[in-house]
């Protein structure tokens, strides 16, 4: 608890991220690191040329 | 279009013209249109520092491991598996046989070794070179190479002393300086992405431009119009192409932060990661009222803070620093100045880290703040007339400082001055310690408290407060070498 005791810095707020995702687009998840894996994105109910098969990840 | 956004959208439309968001593009229609940031600076993994560039690079390239956005766990990428030695010092990565570059050539261990060696070459000017320092000999190699370029031309950078060993095309062995619990998180970072030596060497600085770029990720670059748009096409050679649903993605670049929202609301784009701060609170309220189902919102691994110059004769006294910290109303700062739906922070390490429990932090306590100031010889703020807050222009740094100024005046009776300077000068002044109180911001590079706590070790490049604690240094240093996650967290809990 040294940093909190000594206060060389004053934390004020945690940054946040807001993303707008067209309804039906799946695969965008809220996470601390702002990660988006475009390989995971897909449209609900729409197939794909690859058949949208779940991958091994 | 949602009603609350109409005034904003109209205002923007007047300025930029509706045509800007209905830009027609050539080629087949995209399966997805994404608005990234105001600018894409580079796709060279070694030189990436911006989140947007990293997102693009991670769609085009794939590292040995990847961080899953669902739970931020590390999953196999080009490496189908890996082993860690019992002492935590050696990682052996086994590359999958079907990993291919976008021209069909296999991805090999050499591709990674060469890419990492390039990061450690000072001529590459990789700002995030330090991300490779946990690798044995990496920092020594970089510093020797830098000396050889400058002050000591006879210095020799010996690559054979660096802990990166290629044992065949599909086996890469990495030795570390000491156990590094978050090493796999580092390997998932864009600085560790592979690049093709022949691609880089044959095209010079323009190797990332279409049609030259050869990549190994889910997508390949089909078009890049600088400051305008980018087209990605599914990489048919990607080892996991069968699970990639979208065949063509268009990335739009807008110079301002308002047009992406208008483009989204008018249906011109499907995904926007750029939303103006003033629109965030109304969007969250609409989400909470059930009027919108398209809002994905999350706290980040980043903290906005004020740093004290601990070499300052007044701020040297921890009671003064603590009093100022306790006299802040963070919620008011967010609601009246920052206005972006942020979350109050009472600790420097943001909450939400898996396996990490945040301690009780610095909550507002004006009575205690007044008592501490009086005890420090400043009753009613006496003797604190010359304090100042240094901020850089832009964003909402000045409105935030003005609110803090008001809060400290009302709570403690002190008047602080606000000094606003342009950004380059700001960072220069902070680095040189030419400030009393200065605003700061820090995003964690990897998913571990160390990425925050390491900032304040004595003499650390990001410390910039003049604060020094041998006890703190010892704890951070000890934790860095511990392989046991629970023990590491216990040690870091004493430092934080």
């Amino acid at each position: 608890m040294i940093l909190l005791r000594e206060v060389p810095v004053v934390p004020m707020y945690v940054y946040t991220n807001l993303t707008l995702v067209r309804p039906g687009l799946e695969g965008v998840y809220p996470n601390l690191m702002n990660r988006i894996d475009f390989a995971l994105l897909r449209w609900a109910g729409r197939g794909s040329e690859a058949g949208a098969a779940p991958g091994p990840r | 279009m949602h009603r609350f956004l109409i005034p904003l959208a109209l205002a923007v439309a007047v300025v930029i013209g509706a045509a800007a968001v209905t830009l027609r593009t050539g080629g087949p229609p995209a399966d997805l249109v994404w608005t990234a940031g105001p600018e894409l600076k580079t796709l060279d993994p070694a030189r990436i520092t911006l989140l947007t560039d990293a997102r693009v690079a991670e769609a085009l390239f794939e590292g040995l491991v990847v961080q899953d956005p669902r739970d931020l766990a590390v999953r196999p990428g080009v490496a189908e598996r890996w082993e860690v030695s019992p002492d935590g010092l050696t990682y052996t990565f086994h590359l999958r046989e079907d990993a291919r570059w976008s021209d069909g050539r296999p991805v090999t261990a050499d591709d990674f070794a060469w890419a990492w060696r390039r990061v450690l070459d000072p001529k590459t000017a990789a700002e995030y070179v330090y991300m490779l320092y946990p690798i044995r000999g990496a920092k020594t190699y970089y510093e020797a190479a830098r000396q050889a370029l400058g002050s000591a031309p006879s210095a020799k950078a010996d690559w054979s002393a660096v802990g990166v060993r290629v044992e065949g095309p599909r086996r890469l062995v990495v030795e570390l300086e000491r156990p590094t619990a978050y090493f796999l998180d580092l390997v998932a970072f864009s600085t560790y992405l592979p690049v093709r030596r022949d691609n880089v060497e044959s095209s010079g600085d323009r190797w990332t431009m279409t049609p030259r770029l050869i990549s190994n990720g889910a997508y390949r670059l089909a078009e890049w119009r600088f400051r305008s748009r980018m087209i990605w096409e599914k990489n048919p050679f990607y080892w996991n192409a069968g699970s990639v649903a979208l065949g063509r993605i268009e990335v739009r670049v807008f110079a301002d932060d308002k047009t992406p929202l208008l483009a989204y609301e008018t249906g011109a784009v499907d995904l926007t990661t750029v939303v103006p701060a003033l629109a965030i609170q109304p969007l969250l309220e609409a989400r909470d009222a059930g009027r919108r189902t398209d809002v994905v919102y999350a706290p980040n691994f980043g903290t906005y803070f004020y740093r004290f110059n601990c070499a300052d004769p007044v701020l040297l006294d921890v009671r003064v620093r603590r009093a100022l910290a306790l006299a802040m109303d963070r919620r008011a700062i967010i609601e009246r100045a920052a206005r972006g739906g942020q979350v109050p922070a009472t600790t420097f390490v943001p909450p939400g880290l898996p396996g990490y429990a945040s301690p009780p932090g610095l909550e507002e306590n004006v009575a205690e703040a007044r008592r501490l100031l009086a005890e420090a010889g400043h009753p009613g703020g006496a003797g604190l007339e010359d304090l100042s807050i240094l901020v850089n222009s832009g964003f909402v740094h000045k409105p935030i400082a003005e609110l803090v100024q008001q809060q400290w005046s009302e709570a403690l009776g002190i008047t602080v001055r606000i000094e606003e300077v342009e950004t380059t000068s700001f960072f220069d002044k902070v680095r040189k310690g030419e400030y009393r109180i200065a605003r700061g911001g820090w995003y964690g590079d990897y998913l571990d408290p160390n990425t925050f706590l390491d900032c304040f070790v004595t003499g650390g490049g990001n410390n910039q407060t003049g604060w020094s604690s041998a006890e703190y240094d010892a704890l951070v240093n000890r934790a860095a070498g511990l392989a046991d996650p629970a023990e590491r967290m216990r040690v870091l809990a004493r430092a934080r």
Side-chain angles (χ1 to χ4, degrees):
Chain A
M1 307 289 271
I2 299 170
L3 209 57
L4 279 168
R5 190 182 70 215
E6 295 279 319
V7 206
V9 291
V10 194
M12 293 163 71
Y13 59 76
V14 178
Y15 291 109
T16 52
N17 177 260
L18 189 146
T19 301
L20 291 171
V21 184
R22 179 86 48 229
L25 180 64
E26 298 177 341
V28 179
Y29 304 96
N31 62 71
L32 272 184
M33 301 298 275
N34 271 322
R35 286 264 175 189
I36 297 177
D37 186 342
F38 286 87
L40 295 177
L41 302 190
R42 62 194 64 241
W43 291 102
R46 287 191 220 171
S48 76
E49 61 192 55
R57 272 188 202 164
Chain B
M1 184 180 298
H2 297 268
R3 191 177 300 165
F4 77 95
L5 284 173
I6 287 176
L8 170 65
L10 284 178
V12 175
V14 167
V15 176
I16 59 150
V21 295
T22 54
L23 177 73
R24 300 316 308 163
T25 57
D31 297 321
L32 174 84
V33 183
W34 166 47
T35 58
E39 190 179 1
L40 296 167
K41 284 181 71 175
T42 181
L43 297 186
D44 183 343
R47 293 187 173 123
I48 284 173
T49 57
L50 300 180
L51 173 65
T52 300
D53 292 353
R55 278 177 169 155
V56 174
E58 287 162 11
L60 302 176
F61 296 90
E62 183 174 72
L64 291 168
V65 298
V66 297
Q67 203 173 32
D68 193 319
R70 290 168 284 206
D71 56 6
L72 297 179
V74 169
R75 309 257 192 250
V78 170
E80 60 186 353
R81 61 190 172 87
W82 56 86
E83 293 116 27
V84 186
S85 63
D87 61 7
L89 289 172
T90 305
Y91 285 67
T92 303
F93 294 97
H94 301 273
L95 279 62
R96 55 182 81 246
E97 193 171 6
D98 53 353
R100 291 282 185 277
W101 291 94
S102 52
D103 63 354
R105 212 193 78 170
V107 181
T108 67
D110 260 327
D111 294 325
F112 283 93
W114 189 80
W116 297 358
R117 184 172 181 170
R118 179 171 172 267
V119 171
L120 291 168
D121 181 344
K123 292 197 289 291
T124 305
E127 207 173 308
Y128 276 28
V129 61
Y130 64 86
M131 298 289 276
L132 273 71
Y133 285 175
I135 298 173
R136 181 175 57 76
K139 186 177 183 185
T140 303
Y141 175 87
Y142 172 74
E143 288 178 347
R146 201 174 55 172
Q147 286 170 5
L149 281 178
S151 58
S154 60
K156 290 276 183 281
D158 179 10
W159 179 251
S160 68
V162 178
V164 177
R165 200 166 64 245
V166 174
E167 294 184 347
R170 293 175 49 214
R171 187 177 161 102
L172 184 69
V173 179
V174 184
E175 293 165 357
L176 305 186
E177 290 278 1
R178 55 186 179 177
T180 304
Y182 48 88
F183 181 63
L184 288 174
D185 289 290
L186 296 180
V187 176
F189 199 75
S190 52
T191 316
Y192 279 82
L193 291 170
V195 297
R196 268 269 290 272
R197 181 175 186 168
D198 58 329
N199 189 192
V200 176
E201 291 185 339
S202 65
S203 304
D205 282 345
R206 297 182 64 78
W207 74 273
T208 57
M209 305 301 288
T210 47
R212 297 180 180 87
L213 181 67
I214 299 170
S215 64
N216 73 319
Y219 291 92
R220 66 178 187 83
L221 185 64
E223 180 187 320
W224 183 6
R225 290 190 202 166
F226 197 60
R227 291 184 174 161
S228 172
R229 71 163 187 163
M230 188 179 270
I231 300 286
W232 310 339
E233 289 173 351
K234 185 170 161 177
N235 175 9
F237 292 104
Y238 179 50
W239 66 270
N240 199 17
S243 74
V244 179
L246 305 179
R248 188 175 165 91
I249 293 178
E250 180 177 341
V251 185
R252 294 267 186 91
V253 177
F254 296 110
D256 68 290
D257 70 347
K258 297 179 184 64
T259 312
L261 178 57
L262 179 60
Y264 176 83
E265 298 288 29
T266 55
V269 305
D270 305 301
L271 173 70
T272 179
T273 45
V274 182
V275 178
L278 287 178
I280 289 176
Q281 200 54 45
L283 283 166
L284 290 175
E285 286 166 11
R287 179 200 64 170
D288 294 344
R291 296 196 306 274
R292 295 194 74 128
T293 58
D294 58 346
V295 175
V296 175
Y297 168 78
N300 287 162
F301 201 40
T303 305
Y304 188 94
F305 61 92
Y306 275 5
R307 49 167 43 97
F308 294 120
N309 187 338
C310 298
D312 182 279
V314 170
L315 296 170
L316 185 63
D317 189 330
V318 65
R319 293 169 298 185
V320 177
R321 302 198 299 266
R322 194 165 186 83
L324 293 171
L326 292 173
M328 267 188 191
D329 179 350
R330 292 166 178 78
R331 196 157 291 285
I333 290 167
I334 292 165
E335 289 173 1
R336 292 164 51 196
R339 302 175 72 181
Q342 295 90 345
V343 178
T346 56
T347 58
F348 188 55
V349 182
L353 201 56
Y356 177 80
S358 291
L362 292 160
E363 301 286 353
E364 183 184 11
N365 187 337
V366 172
E368 174 65 1
R370 287 176 180 152
R371 190 194 68 75
L372 282 169
L373 268 197
E375 187 183 297
H378 304 287
L384 298 178
E385 293 81 9
D386 294 331
L387 283 182
S388 59
I389 301 172
L390 179 71
V391 298
N392 54 314
S393 50
F395 189 53
V396 287
H397 305 309
K398 192 172 180 193
I400 289 172
E402 287 168 345
L403 196 54
V404 172
Q405 181 186 49
Q406 183 189 331
Q407 290 176 357
W408 285 348
S409 171
E410 290 171 3
L412 304 176
I414 62 174
T415 305
V416 297
R417 205 164 33 83
I418 296 169
E419 185 186 358
E420 184 183 31
V421 297
E422 55 85 23
T423 300
T424 305
S425 173
F426 170 81
F427 286 111
D428 194 45
K429 279 173 171 280
V430 171
R431 194 170 48 251
K432 291 177 179 169
E434 295 173 356
Y435 71 94
R436 303 194 78 183
I437 301 164
R439 78 102 196 154
W442 186 254
Y443 276 92
D445 292 325
Y446 48 89
L447 211 54
D448 191 276
N450 190 68
T451 188
F452 282 84
L453 299 177
D454 189 49
C455 289
F456 293 103
V457 295
T458 302
N462 295 308
N463 184 323
Q464 300 175 338
T465 62
W467 180 72
S468 173
S469 161
E471 186 187 3
Y472 181 86
D473 295 348
L475 287 170
V476 172
N477 187 47
R478 189 177 152 219
L482 290 172
D484 175 25
E487 176 64 7
R488 280 190 71 245
M489 292 302 170
R490 272 196 292 276
V491 173
L492 288 174
R494 292 166 57 195
R496 66 195 180 187

